[in-house]
Amino acid sequence: MESTKKIPSDKIYNELENVLKFYSFKNSTLLSNFLRYIVTETIDERQQFIKEYSIAVNALSRPSHFNPHDDAMVRIHAGRLRKLLTEYYSSDGKDNSVIIHVPKGGYVPEFVHNNKMRSPDLPVSTNKTSPVITVFPFKTIAHRPDLEAFSQILSEEISAELSRFQDISVIGHFSSDVIAKINENILEAANLIGADFIITGHIQIISNKLQIRVNLIDSSSGKFILTKLFTPATLDDGIRIQNEIVKDIVASMGGYYGIIFKEMIKTAPSKIANNSVVLKAICSYHEYHCSYSIENYATALSNLTEAVELAPNYAIVWAMLGEMQLASIALGLDNCKKTIEKSSHCISKALNIDPNCQQAWYALAIINCFKKDQDNCLAAAEQCLKINPNSSGIASGIGCVLIFAGYFEKGFNLLENATHINPAHPWWINVGYCYYYIHKKEYQKSLYWAEKMDFNETIWDSLLKAVSLSLLSEDAKAKTHLNNLLELQPQTATELKETLSSFMFSDEIVFRIINSLKRIGLKNDF
């Protein structure tokens, strides 16, 4: 770490002003005062006076009898401050020459030179923007023409349906040289064509029973990532069997909750870091949807912002960036009116580049929900699903959005079908289920989905648990979660209605949610 003496105080003051112009700080007077106080004290070499008590009294307007042993206010706000600084230096401030850092375990800031600034002469690899999947022919153990025909059609259909996913590349047809190599060694064949993953399998008859085995293999290690066995009685209804297998395989492998991207994220050093900014951005987006944290959100936002700057012709990253900007509102991280405008620009950019980009239509449905445009929300949702109905992650997201937009049964049915095909789903889908069951006044089911969240860095975890328990008259448990919510987001009383109403159409349900919290002690500051 660089000391303050190596960075002139005027540069530190300039950086402080840059940070305080960031929308999240402009919307939080408390955190702005907190940061200004500790930075100023440090520059003036009064670090020894930066204690919980002095911060509370001098920056946070607490009374002189404030007792830090009984009140965790400063510690809570320090955690929020660190998160906002991470968000800022992952987005607007990523190229600033100076970084203000507040280490955990203390309140004295450190000022460091940003050694991660991107050189304008640094070459950018954009040659590989998505994982490459190859579908090799399925082997038929018994030499029967009907099995061989079924095998060929199955391989082609899996290839065709996987190719609908715009964030993966599929190879399904091969030269004679590659086919010869496939028969010798499938790993060498995959490496020959540059594939990251192999889908293959076999079809056989054992004791007069048909067995169809489908395998997903990591081409670099030979590891079996997924294997599925299908046992239809006969091939008499070949088209139906083929459609069922293809739907099952494609839904479980493709999309941001499919196993391909899960595996990509796990093997990030070998398959992501040395490839393009586009692939890196897409994988960080997928990781955010798999597991929420402030860090994952900030990383995805930063990587997507970098990707559109360095590779501006990829519709999918523009669409993902637009969606992530909207997420900041729903997560209670941002209430800036310009966010929807910025998001709209990204989504329009994506659709101009590629009018058939499913991710862009998905983001358009979401932004129409935020704009309270119910008809266009539905129209965008239907177009999105038409492009690729087997994308279970996007289908579940669309179901959730339609529930928020007031299409309760249509959205719920989409959610149910998507999660039935692929039980894994984006973490925030639980919010849609809770909202639906609060609408139906089935509060025990709402609590069930709230308890499945387990993401304590987001307001939705404690909020939905507190609401569901309050509506079930389990007040003691509800108050515990309300207290957790207020520790995480002290401005809940003043900001909750705006956050809920930003994308939830039903004023009656918003009122019921807020009223349930007021009943257990939330102050009436609306």
Side-chain angles (χ1 to χ4, degrees), residues 301-315:
L301 189 65
S302 174
N303 288 344
L304 287 165
T305 301
E306 183 179 31
V308 298
E309 290 175 359
L310 299 179
N313 295 319
Y314 287 90

Side-chain angles (χ1 to χ4, degrees), residues 147 150-151 153-154 157-158 203 210-214 229-249:
L147 293 185
F150 182 83
S151 168
I153 294 171
L154 182 61
E157 285 299 308
I158 291 174
I203 303 171
L210 187 63
Q211 288 190 354
I212 302 168
R213 172 73 67 179
V214 182
L229 179 65
F230 301 89
T231 56
T234 67
L235 282 181
D236 292 342
D237 191 1
I239 294 178
R240 181 187 61 79
I241 294 168
Q242 164 206 295
N243 288 343
E244 287 179 358
I245 293 173
V246 170
K247 186 175 183 179
D248 186 301
I249 291 299

Side-chain angles (χ1 to χ4, degrees), residues 4-279:
T4 57
K5 292 180 180 179
K6 293 184 180 180
I7 300 178
S9 60
D10 60 334
K11 285 192 174 183
I12 298 172
Y13 277 122
N14 287 339
E15 181 59 17
L16 173 63
E17 295 308 315
N18 289 335
V19 174
L20 295 179
K21 290 175 186 175
F22 187 51
Y23 62 83
S24 295
F25 280 98
K26 287 198 294 186
N27 292 326
S28 178
T29 303
L30 277 176
L31 293 184
S32 295
N33 290 343
F34 192 146
L35 183 62
R36 187 182 293 278
Y37 175 75
I38 61 175
V39 168
T40 303
E41 290 292 281
T42 303
I43 291 174
D44 292 342
E45 298 186 355
R46 292 197 295 267
Q47 299 95 319
Q48 69 272 26
F49 299 117
I50 300 179
K51 307 292 183 183
E52 280 190 49
Y53 177 82
S54 62
I55 293 170
V57 174
N58 296 313
L60 305 181
S61 302
R62 302 303 288 175
S64 59
H65 55 75
F66 174 81
N67 187 339
H69 297 291
D70 299 330
D71 193 332
M73 177 186 182
V74 176
R75 294 189 293 276
I76 292 169
H77 284 308
R80 294 182 66 218
L81 175 62
R82 293 185 186 100
K83 289 174 182 177
L84 288 195
L85 287 171
T86 298
E87 183 184 347
Y88 173 70
Y89 287 113
S90 298
S91 55
D92 290 19
K94 65 180 176 12
D95 289 330
N96 292 12
S97 60
V98 176
I99 292 175
I100 298 174
H101 173 63
V102 182
K104 289 185 178 180
Y107 307 106
V108 178
E110 295 174 335
F111 312 112
V112 299
H113 289 297
N114 185 0
N115 295 320
K116 296 181 180 179
M117 290 177 64
R118 188 172 61 251
S119 168
D121 300 323
L122 188 66
V124 179
S125 170
T126 56
N127 60 321
K128 189 171 184 181
T129 61
S130 56
V132 178
I133 319 301
T134 184
V135 184
F136 285 163
F138 284 66
K139 294 179 180 179
T140 53
I141 307 303
H143 294 290
R144 285 175 35 176
D146 58 340
L147 293 185
E148 290 174 357
F150 182 83
S151 168
Q152 182 176 350
I153 294 171
L154 182 61
S155 298
E156 290 178 352
E157 285 299 308
I158 291 174
S159 298
E161 290 303 314
L162 277 174
S163 68
R164 288 178 180 243
F165 292 93
Q166 293 168 306
D167 44 10
I168 60 176
S169 300
V170 182
I171 301 173
H173 296 281
F174 315 99
S175 67
S176 56
D177 290 343
V178 173
I179 290 174
K181 181 63 73 175
I182 290 170
N183 293 330
E184 291 176 17
N185 186 311
I186 62 169
L187 297 184
E188 290 183 7
N191 290 327
L192 186 65
I193 58 177
D196 298 301
F197 299 97
I198 305 163
I199 296 175
T200 188
H202 62 256
I203 303 171
Q204 62 182 340
I205 297 174
I206 299 177
S207 301
N208 294 320
K209 292 183 179 179
L210 187 63
Q211 288 190 354
I212 302 168
R213 172 73 67 179
V214 182
N215 301 317
L216 177 66
I217 302 170
D218 185 322
S219 64
S220 61
S221 65
K223 182 181 74 171
F224 279 67
I225 299 166
L226 177 72
T227 182
K228 289 201 169 192
L229 179 65
F230 301 89
T231 56
T234 67
L235 282 181
D236 292 342
D237 191 1
I239 294 178
R240 181 187 61 79
I241 294 168
Q242 164 206 295
N243 288 343
E244 287 179 358
I245 293 173
V246 170
K247 186 175 183 179
D248 186 301
I249 291 299
V250 171
S252 61
M253 290 186 183
Y256 60 58
Y257 236 86
I259 196 164
I260 288 171
F261 268 94
K262 283 187 179 180
E263 189 66 19
M264 289 291 287
I265 291 166
K266 280 197 302 184
T267 58
S270 61
K271 285 194 168 68
I272 298 172
N274 295 325
N275 282 306
S276 76
V277 291
V278 173
L279 181 55

Side-chain angles (χ1 to χ4, degrees), residues 326 329-331 366 369-372 400-401 403-406 431 435 460 497-506 510:
L326 291 173
I329 301 175
L331 293 168
I366 296 173
C369 184
F370 277 87
K371 290 179 176 179
K372 299 300 180 70
C400 198
V401 169
I403 289 173
F404 295 140
V431 181
Y435 186 69
W460 293 103
K497 184 176 181 180
E498 185 175 359
T499 298
L500 295 175
S501 298
S502 64
F503 62 94
M504 293 181 174
F505 277 51
S506 172
V510 170

